[in-house]
Amino acid sequence: MEIKPIKKVNISDQVYEKLREQLISGVWKQGEKIPSENELAALFGVSRVTIRQALSRLNTLGLLETKLGEGTFVKELKPGIYMKEIIPYVYLNNESEREVLEFRLVIEVETARIAASKITDEEILLLEKSLKKMLKNKGDIEKYVEEDLNFHMIIAKSTKNSLVIEVNNIVRNIIRRMIRTATEKIGHEVGLKYHRLLIEAFRKRDADTASDMMREHLQQVLERLV
């Protein structure tokens, strides 16, 4: 392992970045035990406290796991682990309605296309049940919004694409707030209409129609809301 001592300016952040780079680049393999705190401290030319702080951050991210009496090991690295740092936390509380809807147009239109070619009968049944719950809970905005979100998450999972699924998991709270805002301002009918049309397209495994219906759905919300 080629690690050079670093300049002692923002030491903790530099050590964290260097260690993270080792993990993401695959220098340390999944399941591999990484060097001890003492060894890392010597390699970087920093204190054990600094190393411990950096390792703690990586444990929190789910990149590492510490086993009592054994040491620290590399966890299975899934795409979503890296993407959690793509979205600044400040954005999560200050997203604009237009930006969120534009993002959904970019992501969810093609998600619907991919899902249409891979969706199973069981997943279509889940979508039908979700739509029924939405209809049942029109008078309860909390339950309605949660089921609307669930409907879109089922579509994402139907792609069988880990990146698509992880992106949707990461932004689900943003999407939930967007659905709530839209429901409060423009009502249920747009969502219910296009959810029915999406299910029909999925039943036929019609990728073009599924994509078109998702695009129309989100554009209708964008036009009425923004």
Side-chain angles (χ1 to χ4, degrees):
M1 179 177 59
E2 297 182 6
I3 297 179
K4 297 179 181 179
I6 59 178
K7 295 180 180 179
K8 296 185 179 181
V9 180
N10 297 319
I11 300 172
S12 180
D13 287 342
Q14 289 187 61
V15 170
Y16 165 75
E17 291 297 338
K18 290 290 185 181
L19 290 173
R20 192 168 68 102
E21 185 180 319
Q22 295 288 110
L23 293 164
I24 293 176
S25 64
V27 173
W28 291 331
K29 308 299 182 185
Q30 296 181 30
E32 181 181 343
K33 182 179 178 179
I34 70 169
S36 68
E37 289 181 5
N38 283 335
E39 291 171 319
L40 289 171
L43 287 165
F44 282 112
V46 299
S47 71
R48 282 186 62 191
V49 172
T50 299
I51 295 296
R52 193 174 298 121
Q53 290 172 344
L55 293 177
S56 177
R57 291 173 67 181
L58 293 166
N59 268 281
T60 300
L61 280 176
L63 294 171
L64 296 175
E65 62 178 336
T66 300
K67 299 178 182 179
L68 190 62
E70 297 183 43
T72 301
F73 296 79
V74 181
K75 290 187 71 173
E76 179 184 358
L77 306 182
K78 297 180 180 180
I81 291 173
Y82 311 136
M83 289 188 290
K84 285 178 183 176
E85 294 191 277
I86 291 175
I87 303 172
Y89 287 108
V90 65
Y91 178 78
L92 298 180
N93 295 315
N94 296 284
E95 73 274 8
S96 74
E97 293 169 357
R98 176 175 292 279
E99 285 181 344
V100 174
L101 284 166
E102 288 173 346
F103 173 81
R104 292 186 67 187
L105 276 164
V106 170
I107 298 297
E108 294 191 53
V109 171
E110 288 308 309
T111 293
R113 180 185 298 279
I114 296 169
S117 65
K118 297 183 179 181
I119 197 166
T120 64
D121 290 339
E122 290 77 14
E123 287 164 336
I124 292 173
L125 182 60
L126 289 176
L127 289 174
E128 292 171 346
K129 289 180 177 179
S130 179
L131 179 58
K132 287 178 181 178
K133 288 180 182 178
M134 290 173 67
L135 288 165
K136 179 182 177 181
N137 292 309
K138 285 199 295 183
D140 186 330
I141 191 165
E142 296 298 336
K143 290 182 179 179
Y144 178 89
V145 168
E146 199 61 36
E147 203 52 57
D148 193 329
L149 176 67
N150 182 48
F151 186 95
H152 288 271
M153 293 301 295
I154 294 168
I155 295 173
K157 290 175 183 176
S158 299
T159 66
K160 318 298 188 294
N161 183 301
S162 62
L163 282 168
V164 171
I165 295 167
E166 290 293 348
V167 167
N168 278 273
N169 280 329
I170 291 165
V171 300
R172 66 181 297 144
N173 288 332
I174 296 174
I175 303 304
R176 180 188 286 109
R177 286 197 288 272
M178 181 75 268
I179 292 172
R180 183 186 180 94
T181 299
T183 303
E184 289 174 338
K185 291 186 177 180
I186 66 176
H188 311 85
E189 295 313 310
V190 171
L192 293 172
K193 171 187 173 181
Y194 282 100
H195 285 188
R196 292 189 190 98
L197 293 171
L198 281 163
I199 290 174
E200 289 177 15
F202 289 136
R203 284 198 195 106
K204 298 174 182 177
R205 271 63 175 186
D206 187 338
D208 287 339
T209 299
S211 176
D212 289 343
M213 291 304 97
M214 185 65 80
R215 181 181 295 103
E216 285 186 24
H217 171 28
L218 297 173
Q219 284 177 335
Q220 283 280 318
V221 175
L222 180 61
E223 290 170 7
R224 297 187 185 200
L225 190 60
V226 179

